[in-house]
Amino acid sequence: MSDQPLLRVENLAKNYGTRIGCADVSFELWPGEVLAIVGESGSGKTTLLNTLSAQLEPSSGQALYRIRDGNFRNIYDLSEAERRFLTRTDWGFVHQNPADGLRMTVSAGANVGERLMAVGDRHYGRIRDTALDWLGRVEIAADRIDDQPRSFSGGMRQRLQIARNLVTGPRLVFMDEPTGARRFGAGAAPRSPASARR
């Protein structure tokens, strides 16, 4: 484990006019660590994730990300090109609504393969084999690789979105209710936590 956090958030806030989306958020996230942000519907979880992932600009505060050279950079000071680079290489984002994180009119395999191509893979056979492997990891049958996500159930779409994000081994993954569309068997239902957990 590293001797420095991957992400350091300091006094982050996001307001929508006079409405508070999130306020005074501070924490450190270390490599390999999982941090759950929990709360009631409308409590600002999605706002916080969108702000942390630079999809929204904060009203105040900063989020310092340790880039690959070991230096911390405030993600809100990065250029648009630098942010795009991070979203293709270092970060993944699993959206609450799978349609927001997938290309619905290209195949499941292409959804996974696009992320591989974004990091430089160009060998079609290797891309397809990797996509098949990841579809299997998220319990999508191999014979669905050429099907478009619009023909998938909500749970399958969410699993495909997870595979699409994890295939490149990102250093940081933001997940906005990643199990919301999944069905859970008896005894496997997620708990309803009352506070943030590590």
Side-chain angles (χ1 to χ4, degrees), residues 133-171:
D133 175 55
W134 274 93
L135 291 178
R137 291 183 192 204
V138 297
E139 300 177 356
I140 296 175
D143 65 356
R144 301 298 303 268
I145 191 169
D146 295 317
D147 293 349
Q148 296 176 357
R150 62 184 176 179
S151 71
F152 289 3
S153 69
M156 288 175 70
R157 289 177 183 178
Q158 194 66 299
R159 295 194 312 270
L160 176 59
Q161 186 185 192
I162 290 168
R164 175 184 170 98
N165 278 276
L166 297 183
V167 69
T168 56
R171 298 172 70 209

Side-chain angles (χ1 to χ4, degrees), residues 49-198:
L49 287 176
N50 285 332
T51 305
L52 288 172
S53 62
Q55 295 178 50
L56 293 173
E57 288 287 328
S59 301
S60 62
Q62 61 182 0
L64 304 170
Y65 178 70
R66 185 167 47 85
I67 57 176
R68 291 178 184 259
D69 68 6
N71 292 312
F72 283 92
R73 300 271 311 272
N74 185 348
I75 62 172
Y76 310 112
D77 292 338
L78 298 175
S79 69
E80 185 61 33
E82 289 172 313
R83 288 183 195 179
R84 274 195 314 270
F85 178 79
L86 285 179
T87 61
R88 284 194 314 266
T89 60
D90 280 24
W91 296 354
F93 196 107
V94 176
H95 295 268
Q96 186 174 25
N97 177 1
D100 293 338
L102 296 171
R103 293 194 49 213
M104 300 301 284
T105 59
V106 300
S107 71
N111 267 279
V112 176
E114 282 178 339
R115 181 115 173 148
L116 292 167
M117 292 177 68
V119 296
D121 200 339
R122 296 291 184 260
H123 188 276
Y124 176 78
R126 189 170 46 245
I127 290 170
R128 189 168 174 87
D129 288 347
T130 302
L132 277 169
D133 175 55
W134 274 93
L135 291 178
R137 291 183 192 204
V138 297
E139 300 177 356
I140 296 175
D143 65 356
R144 301 298 303 268
I145 191 169
D146 295 317
D147 293 349
Q148 296 176 357
R150 62 184 176 179
S151 71
F152 289 3
S153 69
M156 288 175 70
R157 289 177 183 178
Q158 194 66 299
R159 295 194 312 270
L160 176 59
Q161 186 185 192
I162 290 168
R164 175 184 170 98
N165 278 276
L166 297 183
V167 69
T168 56
R171 298 172 70 209
L172 181 61
V173 181
F174 302 98
M175 296 183 137
D176 190 0
E177 298 190 28
T179 59
R182 296 266 338 242
R183 287 192 302 256
F184 292 89
R191 291 186 242 160
S192 297
S195 61
R197 293 197 175 128
R198 287 184 186 256

Side-chain angles (χ1 to χ4, degrees), residues 7-44:
L7 182 66
R8 182 179 293 138
V9 178
E10 300 172 349
N11 304 310
L12 197 68
K14 175 62 181 175
N15 299 321
Y16 300 98
T18 59
R19 296 186 189 273
I20 298 171
C22 59
D24 196 31
V25 177
S26 297
F27 64 87
E28 290 183 342
L29 184 66
W30 294 76
E33 187 175 30
V34 175
L35 174 65
I37 309 297
V38 296
E40 304 260 338
S41 179
S43 64

